[in-house]
Amino acid sequence: MSQIFQLILRVSSFWFLVNFIHILLTKLLGEKYNFYLSRNGIFVKFVQLQWHTKRFNSTLSQGFVWRYSSKIALWFTCGAYFGIIAMFSSILILMYTFIYSFVKESEDSSKILTPVVPGVNLPNSQIIPYLLTLLISGIFHEYGHALAAAREGVSMYGSGLFMFLIYPAAFVDLNTEALKRCDAFQRLRIFCAGVWHNCIMMVGAYVIWTSLPFTLFFLGYTKEHAVTVTAVDPGSALFNQIYSGTKIYSVNDCPVIDKVSWGQCLWSSYDKTLLKGNCLDKSIISELKSNTDCCKEGVTSPKSICFNSTAGTQCVFARRTLDQLNCTSDRDCSVGHCYRPHSKEGFLLQLVHSSSDDTALFIGDPSHLYYTIHLSDYSSKWFWSQLPNCIEMFMIYIVSLSGALAIFNAVPAFYLDGQHMLDAFLEFIIGQSGRRVSAGLISNLSFVIQLFSTVLIAVNVLNAFVSVCVMYK
C-alpha cells in the first residue's frame, strides 16, 4: 500500500469519525448541542473545524495602539514597501520554478516549491512540531493584520483558529465597511502586514538558529569534533551497542564532526570503491575462521561475515579482523591478500565511538542507521541532551514555514493576501501619478494579473504534488 494511499485513508477515516460524532450528537442532544457550539463559536464542516471568538479583541484596544501610533505606523509602512517587493518577486519565483521544472528534468526541479505531506515526506516523529510551527506562523501572520487594522481605525469582529484536512491555521475577521473607508496606502499597510510579520519571524528565527553555538555555550553545552547520540530506536540494529550520550567519531575511517558529515559518511559507504578491507594470510585466516560457512547462499551468522578477495571467499569473525592492516587492494599487503567484506545483506560499517568496546559493527543498509540513531552536534553533562536538536528543528521550521507563507500569501492570486495587496497598490500608484484612470481599467488590469498568478500558482502546486506522488507512490 503506497504512502499516499495510507495518508488519504487515515485522513478520510478521521473526518468520517468527526462528522459521524457531530451528526450523532445533533440527533441525540438537538438544540442543547447546537447552542453549546454556537455559544463557544465552534463550527463543524465537511473537512474543516473552526473556532471563532471575540475574547482577543480587547488586546488590540485603541488605547494601546494610539499610545504607540507613530512607531506602529512606521513599522507597517516598512511592511507595505516590503509587501510590494514580495508581491512581484513571488511571481518571478513561480515563473522560474515552472520553467525550471520543464527545462531540467531532475529530482531537484521542484525543490523551490515542495508540498510537505505529513506521513509521506515528513517523518511521523516530526508531524506535531511541524503542525505546531505552522500554527504559530499563521497566528503571527494574522496578528500583523489585526494590529495594522487597529492602527488604521478598522475594528475587528473576532478571530479564531481552524483546521482544514490536517493543516491548522488562524484568521481575523475585520470590519469590511471600515476597511473600505481607508485610503489606498492604509489598506496596503493592512494587507501587507501578514507577509511582513512572517518575514520578520523568519529573520528572527534565522538569527537564533545561526547563533545557537554561542547561546548554547552559556547553557553548558559543548561542541566537539564528533556527534553525540541522544536516542536509539528500539528497532535499531545497534540498540544494545550504542547508548544515549555516546560520541561517534568516524564511520569506516570517514571522520564524523557533525550531523551533516554523519550523513555524508553513511551515504559514501554505498560507494564500493571506497570500501576498505584487511590484509589476511593463511595463518590469520585459520585463527579467525568461523565454523559457519556464511559465504553460502542462505547461511547467516551473527558474528561472522563473508570476506572476498582475489584468492576466494572466507567466513571469518568480523570484529577480530579490525586488528589487521587496512587495505584497498593486494598491493597494500606485504603478505596474504586484501579481504573485503562481502555481505548479501548490505554493507559492513565500523563506527568508532566512546563506549567501552570502542568500535561497533553493523551489517546492512546504511540508511537504517541514519533513521534509527538520533544525534546532536552538542553535548552537556547537566542539561537535556535533545534540547539543542529541538531548538534547531523549531527554528528551521519557522524559517522555512514563515518564508513559505510570506511568499505564498504575497502572490497576487485570487483569495490570497496578494489579491488585495495588488488592488490597493494599483489604486495608490495611479493616485500618486495624478492621472485620471477609469475604475474599470484598473479593475480589468488587476483581474488579468490575478488570473495569470492564480493559474501560475495552481500549475506549480499541481506539478509539485505530482512529483511527491510519483516519488512516494
Side-chain angles (χ1 to χ4, degrees), residues 76-152:
F76 287 115
T77 296
C78 295
Y81 287 115
F82 170 81
I84 294 170
I85 296 172
M87 179 172 59
F88 291 105
S89 298
S90 64
I91 297 177
L92 296 176
I93 291 172
L94 288 176
M95 290 177 63
Y96 172 79
T97 305
F98 175 73
I99 296 171
Y100 186 77
S101 64
F102 286 96
V103 170
K104 187 169 182 176
E105 297 290 336
S106 68
E107 294 181 357
D108 297 332
S109 60
S110 59
K111 275 192 173 180
I112 295 177
L113 185 64
T114 302
V116 177
V117 185
V120 178
N121 59 352
L122 180 72
N124 291 330
S125 61
Q126 296 184 23
I127 290 178
I128 293 178
Y130 171 82
L131 295 179
L132 180 62
T133 308
L134 181 62
L135 179 60
I136 293 173
S137 299
I139 291 174
F140 198 65
H141 175 100
E142 295 300 326
Y143 176 75
H145 288 307
L147 185 60
R151 166 58 184 79
E152 306 301 339

Side-chain angles (χ1 to χ4, degrees), residues 367-409:
S367 64
H368 172 80
L369 298 183
Y370 186 81
Y371 291 110
T372 60
I373 298 180
H374 307 280
L375 307 169
S376 173
D377 292 338
Y378 305 89
S379 61
S380 175
K381 295 181 180 179
W382 303 286
F383 294 100
W384 185 37
S385 61
Q386 297 198 44
L387 179 61
N389 277 355
C390 292
I391 297 175
E392 184 180 39
M393 179 177 66
F394 189 53
M395 292 302 110
I396 290 174
Y397 275 148
I398 288 180
V399 170
S400 59
L401 289 175
S402 290
L405 283 175
I407 295 174
F408 186 79
N409 277 287

Side-chain angles (χ1 to χ4, degrees), residues 239-408:
F239 181 65
N240 292 320
Q241 295 189 53
I242 291 182
Y243 308 95
S244 179
T246 299
K247 290 182 173 60
I248 298 177
Y249 297 99
S250 66
V251 176
N252 284 3
D253 294 331
C254 177
V256 176
I257 60 174
D258 52 28
K259 290 189 294 184
V260 175
S261 60
W262 160 256
Q264 292 172 344
C265 289
L266 289 179
W267 305 140
S268 67
S269 62
Y270 283 104
D271 189 350
K272 293 186 177 181
T273 61
L274 301 177
L275 183 63
K276 291 186 177 181
N278 301 94
C279 293
L280 306 176
D281 58 17
K282 290 182 179 180
S283 60
I284 297 175
I285 290 175
S286 62
E287 294 178 11
L288 305 182
K289 191 172 182 180
S290 172
N291 295 327
T292 305
D293 190 0
C294 56
C295 294
K296 286 186 177 180
E297 187 70 30
V299 179
T300 59
S301 175
K303 297 183 179 180
S304 303
I305 298 176
C306 181
F307 282 75
N308 187 30
S309 75
T310 56
T313 57
Q314 293 289 345
C315 183
V316 298
F317 291 106
R319 182 169 294 278
R320 294 168 64 182
T321 64
L322 301 179
D323 298 330
Q324 307 304 317
L325 182 67
N326 286 336
C327 60
T328 55
S329 66
D330 288 345
R331 289 176 294 181
D332 298 330
C333 303
S334 56
V335 291
H337 299 275
C338 183
Y339 282 81
R340 292 185 179 186
H342 177 72
S343 173
K344 301 177 288 297
E345 300 165 348
F347 301 85
L348 172 65
L349 302 183
Q350 302 173 17
L351 279 68
V352 178
H353 56 85
S354 60
S355 297
S356 56
D357 289 336
D358 292 329
T359 302
L361 293 181
F362 167 78
I363 307 173
D365 191 335
S367 64
H368 172 80
L369 298 183
Y370 186 81
Y371 291 110
T372 60
I373 298 180
H374 307 280
L375 307 169
S376 173
D377 292 338
Y378 305 89
S379 61
S380 175
K381 295 181 180 179
W382 303 286
F383 294 100
W384 185 37
S385 61
Q386 297 198 44
L387 179 61
N389 277 355
C390 292
I391 297 175
E392 184 180 39
M393 179 177 66
F394 189 53
M395 292 302 110
I396 290 174
Y397 275 148
I398 288 180
V399 170
S400 59
L401 289 175
S402 290
L405 283 175
I407 295 174
F408 186 79

